[in-house]
Amino acid sequence: MSRVIVFFLLLVLLLISCSSAFEGPLENYVEDSSGSWAPPRKDGYLQFFPVWRASLNISGQNSTWSSPCFDHNVASLVTTSSGLHLQFEASHQRHTLSGKCADMYLIATRQRFEIRRVTHTGTHTLQLDGGWKPTERTYVEQYGLQVFLVQGGALGFVYDLYKTYQLFFSPVYSEMDSLQFLRDYVNWDPTPRNSTQMLVPDASEIHSGDVLFLFKFGPPHGGENAMEAYGTGGRSDHVAVFLWIDGVLYVTESIGGGGPDERSGIIRTEYRQWFAGASPAWMIDVCRLNPHRAALFDEEKAIRFFESVEGMPYGFHNYLFTWIDTPDANYPPPLSKELVPLFFSFVDKLDPTLSDEMWGQALNKRLNTTGLDMTGIFRVLEERQQSFYELVAMPEQDSWRYDGNQSLVCDTYVTKLLKEAGVFPGLDFEATEFTPLNLYQLDIYAAFEEWDQPAVCAQVPPQTPRTPWCQLSGQYYLDLQQFSTIQPYDHMFQRCETLPPDYLMTEGC
């Protein structure tokens, strides 16, 4: 992962070197006139991602857009006797002093990129295909030459990258900043709970199959988990499940790191030890299966499944693919589908091992190939006339094995355990397609009056509403939106869009 950070630092230096004569204001961010939702620009979070503006194809068709410095921009690819050229015309300058505002563009194929600044009205021409590999022109013929606007220019890029790093990855950050991010980006305004107490249920009150939904608020998790919420729309970033094994109550989970005793992967932890290691700042809800689903739950099958996967590594191989279900309706702005092949390819060159773990093996599974890097994957796609965007959106399969292991993240582990325990009889679906949001939306949980919540649940702050779950900790309420509202169905959650601010899904997706 450190090598990816180095890549971004190198990109920062390149942006600065390509724009050393930068004269425009820092705040030349995109003004979206399309009417679609866009995140606020004032805080700089995520604004370092370049905003897609055009995919220029070989046919020479014009693409138009507005930018911070020019109301009207027109670009096209032109083929001449000397090769392929990008023709760009900027007009209707927004500032009266020519050259005092500069738009910065990232012009990219899968294999290279160039930085260009536009400071004046008029027509600009850039020759492109000198030294191109045949595969590069093929990529442009199929997907187009990608044009992105770098928000804020070079200096704005550096500022936005720093701000985003501080929020998501710095161990010291402002709680208010994270709350504001959730309000502005995820459309979630957590309500204060006015309690710092960790409620630990008596073991006798917990059943195998009781599910824990968490949002790990507070250092060092809060900002990073807020980013996950922005991607999926869910209000839980971790899921675990209780199991009684040989008379001992355990919390079982799949965890990527930082678990009890710094363990990772699919693990079990004696329940009191687990609660002793949990932060009171974490928002933790415990839920029970409703009477119908609880009667279907086979504890012996659940234990056998857990023991069959215990010790397997965390499911990094398909982590991204539990979230990406569609070619273009899962990337919250300023992300875009056009960025994905470029990012995957750049990381593949920089850190092949990371690329192979995070998406390379999963893409190979979808192609029924093995060992191909991103160049090889695109070569196969070209031969088969398949789309990369459709490939990424292909549903994950529970039967796939990665390095001989099942690849399960926290929620897919719990979903697969419930599936193997018989909670979903007769249904055909892939547990590895679930996000935490999908899991808690399923209509499988008990209503408030359908289960005897642990006695500690009565020790809640005054005015606490009666909910189907019992909240055990957290200074804010973990309100699981649309909780237990969707009847399970075949092939569920395999083609679902998830876009802010409402994260609405098509019924039956």
Side-chain angles (χ1 to χ4, degrees):
M1 186 65 71
S2 61
R3 294 180 67 182
V4 176
I5 295 174
V6 171
F7 162 74
F8 276 112
L9 292 176
L10 291 174
L11 184 57
V12 168
L13 294 175
L14 178 61
L15 285 167
I16 294 174
S17 66
C18 290
S19 59
S20 57
F22 179 81
E23 298 174 290
L26 270 179
E27 295 79 14
N28 60 331
Y29 293 100
V30 176
E31 297 181 14
D32 192 342
S33 59
S34 65
S36 60
W37 182 87
R41 309 174 189 85
K42 60 183 179 181
D43 49 32
Y45 301 137
L46 302 174
Q47 303 301 309
F48 68 90
F49 282 107
V51 177
W52 176 78
R53 278 296 170 253
S55 295
L56 305 178
N57 55 53
I58 298 291
S59 67
Q61 183 177 355
N62 287 341
S63 292
T64 62
W65 65 91
S66 63
S67 66
C69 298
F70 301 93
D71 279 323
H72 191 65
N73 300 277
V74 182
S76 63
L77 286 181
V78 179
T79 302
T80 68
S81 58
S82 60
L84 196 63
H85 294 73
L86 168 62
Q87 187 166 296
F88 187 102
E89 182 180 357
S91 60
H92 301 89
Q93 193 165 24
R94 295 188 177 189
H95 296 263
T96 57
L97 296 177
S98 177
K100 292 301 180 182
C101 184
D103 287 332
M104 180 176 289
Y105 289 96
L106 173 69
I107 301 167
T109 69
R110 191 184 63 81
Q111 293 161 295
R112 72 177 69 199
F113 63 89
E114 298 191 35
I115 305 295
R116 287 293 181 269
R117 295 170 67 246
V118 178
T119 59
H120 297 81
T121 59
T123 300
H124 311 268
T125 302
L126 174 66
Q127 183 167 349
L128 294 169
D129 55 354
W132 275 17
K133 299 176 182 178
T135 54
E136 195 162 6
R137 187 179 179 96
T138 301
Y139 178 85
V140 173
E141 289 174 350
Q142 184 171 0
Y143 300 97
L145 178 71
Q146 306 302 333
V147 179
F148 300 91
L149 181 66
V150 180
Q151 304 190 76
L155 298 181
F157 177 92
V158 175
Y159 172 78
D160 296 340
L161 183 61
Y162 172 75
K163 286 283 289 183
T164 304
Y165 174 84
Q166 283 291 100
L167 178 67
F168 293 142
F169 302 111
S170 174
V172 180
Y173 69 96
S174 167
E175 176 180 308
M176 296 308 298
D177 285 343
S178 292
L179 286 171
Q180 195 62 48
F181 180 89
L182 291 174
R183 295 184 188 108
D184 290 345
Y185 288 72
V186 189
N187 199 25
W188 176 24
D189 188 2
T191 303
R193 185 167 168 264
N194 301 318
S195 174
T196 58
Q197 185 180 8
M198 173 68 76
L199 305 177
V200 181
D202 189 85
S204 64
E205 300 175 294
I206 298 297
H207 296 180
S208 286
D210 287 352
V211 179
L212 291 165
F213 289 100
L214 297 79
F215 190 89
K216 295 183 179 180
F217 197 77
H221 302 284
E224 180 181 350
N225 295 334
M227 180 169 61
E228 183 174 318
Y230 185 47
T232 66
R235 297 180 182 178
S236 170
D237 66 273
H238 187 62
V239 188
V241 62
F242 286 105
L243 281 180
W244 282 94
I245 303 177
D246 297 329
V248 179
L249 179 61
Y250 293 97
V251 175
T252 71
E253 58 193 331
S254 180
I255 190 166
D261 303 321
E262 296 303 314
R263 290 177 294 158
S264 63
I266 299 176
I267 61 174
R268 66 171 110 175
T269 308
E270 192 276 328
Y271 96 105
R272 287 198 176 274
Q273 180 187 351
W274 188 90
F275 277 101
S279 168
W282 296 357
M283 295 179 269
I284 303 176
D285 289 348
V286 61
C287 313
R288 178 156 296 168
L289 298 175
N290 64 37
H292 170 62
R293 301 292 171 177
L296 294 171
F297 182 85
D298 188 319
E299 185 179 52
E300 290 186 4
K301 289 182 179 179
I303 293 171
R304 283 201 299 270
F305 169 74
F306 167 74
E307 291 177 340
S308 74
V309 297
E310 184 178 17
M312 289 186 179
Y314 183 76
F316 287 112
H317 294 96
N318 54 15
Y319 173 82
L320 294 176
F321 299 91
T322 66
W323 158 48
I324 301 174
D325 286 351
T326 68
D328 58 3
N330 296 113
Y331 304 106
L335 300 182
S336 63
K337 77 176 192 295
E338 289 80 10
L339 268 177
V340 176
L342 310 184
F343 179 75
F344 280 13
S345 297
F346 286 144
V347 175
D348 193 52
K349 294 177 183 177
L350 185 72
D351 194 334
T353 301
L354 177 65
S355 174
D356 183 66
E357 180 180 33
M358 292 302 297
W359 50 75
Q361 291 190 43
L363 295 177
N364 273 275
K365 294 290 185 186
R366 286 156 172 76
L367 289 172
N368 197 27
T369 57
T370 57
L372 296 181
D373 62 7
M374 290 304 299
T375 297
I377 287 169
F378 271 94
R379 185 179 299 115
V380 172
L381 287 171
E382 178 190 346
E383 293 170 354
R384 299 180 184 178
Q385 296 185 326
Q386 287 181 254
S387 163
F388 173 81
Y389 306 127
E390 292 289 347
L391 179 72
V392 173
M394 285 180 60
E396 184 75 9
Q397 303 294 309
D398 288 356
S399 60
W400 288 343
R401 297 294 180 267
Y402 295 86
D403 300 325
N405 297 309
Q406 297 190 49
S407 187
L408 300 169
V409 298
C410 63
D411 56 283
T412 63
Y413 157 69
V414 175
T415 306
K416 187 72 182 296
L417 182 141
L418 296 177
K419 180 181 179 181
E420 294 294 324
V423 172
F424 306 103
L427 290 182
D428 180 15
F429 68 97
E430 308 297 339
T432 44
E433 276 291 301
F434 275 56
T435 68
L437 171 67
N438 301 147
L439 182 55
Y440 69 66
Q441 286 180 324
L442 282 185
D443 185 13
I444 61 174
Y445 303 102
F448 177 84
E449 63 276 5
E450 289 183 309
W451 68 301
D452 294 326
Q453 295 191 357
V456 295
C457 299
Q459 303 174 28
V460 295
Q463 311 304 319
T464 298
R466 301 200 324 175
T467 59
W469 56 81
C470 167
Q471 183 159 348
L472 302 176
S473 64
Q475 298 180 47
Y476 300 89
Y477 288 109
L478 181 55
D479 182 14
L480 303 173
Q481 82 274 37
Q482 299 174 3
F483 179 78
S484 198
T485 56
I486 298 177
Q487 281 291 328
Y489 56 94
D490 283 334
H491 311 297
M492 49 186 161
F493 306 123
Q494 292 185 185
R495 296 289 185 184
C496 293
E497 64 276 28
T498 51
L499 288 175
D502 298 319
Y503 299 94
L504 301 176
M505 296 185 294
T506 303
E507 185 176 354
C509 62

